[in-house]
Amino acid sequence: MTKFVFDASIFVRPGHETDPGEYSDETRAEIAKLRVLYPELAHWGDLALGGAFGEMSEDVLSISWAHFLFETREEFFLGYCCWRQTRGDWHGGIDLDRLEALTDWK
């Protein structure tokens, strides 16, 4: 079976997958924490990783930026990224169990 590869172009325009983006030092430090927690996305630039995290925060948690998620790995974030790549937009609201159950990327 082929290993699933997360595609950053789902969250940024093609050609900008590794761009640094324009973030504050504080936000850049938070994105660096995400890169450690989610090595599956470590090849993404800050623009894509920050964009994905921001979109997940809004689509799934109904907040602009989930500051409380920088200390522990939460697989629903990877589930969200996988969902967007394989199924399109997320319209499931706060359904963390559904995203955590997604195994396409595992």
Side-chain angles (χ1 to χ4, degrees):
M1 183 173 176
T2 304
K3 183 180 180 204
F4 186 85
V5 176
F6 287 95
D7 181 3
S9 69
I10 300 303
F11 299 99
V12 296
R13 293 184 64 169
H16 297 276
E17 295 89 349
T18 59
D19 285 1
E22 295 182 13
Y23 292 108
S24 68
D25 290 343
E26 178 184 359
T27 301
R28 204 168 294 287
E30 290 174 330
I31 292 170
K33 288 180 181 181
L34 292 175
R35 193 167 275 108
V36 171
L37 290 170
Y38 306 99
E40 299 89 346
L41 308 177
H43 61 287
W44 290 13
D46 286 358
L47 180 63
L49 192 49
F53 187 78
E55 288 185 37
M56 179 281 301
S57 295
E58 291 178 8
D59 289 350
V60 178
L61 302 173
S62 299
I63 58 176
S64 63
W65 191 257
H67 292 279
F68 55 91
L69 292 178
F70 295 112
E71 301 306 320
T72 59
R73 179 179 168 99
E74 298 291 347
E75 292 198 343
F76 70 83
F77 176 49
L78 292 173
Y80 173 80
C81 292
C82 178
W83 182 283
R84 291 286 311 276
Q85 184 173 333
T86 61
R87 294 165 176 80
D89 291 340
W90 173 256
H91 300 289
I94 304 173
D95 191 349
L96 304 182
D97 292 336
R98 187 172 176 195
L99 289 173
E100 287 174 346
L102 191 62
T103 60
D104 299 22
W105 63 271
K106 294 182 180 182

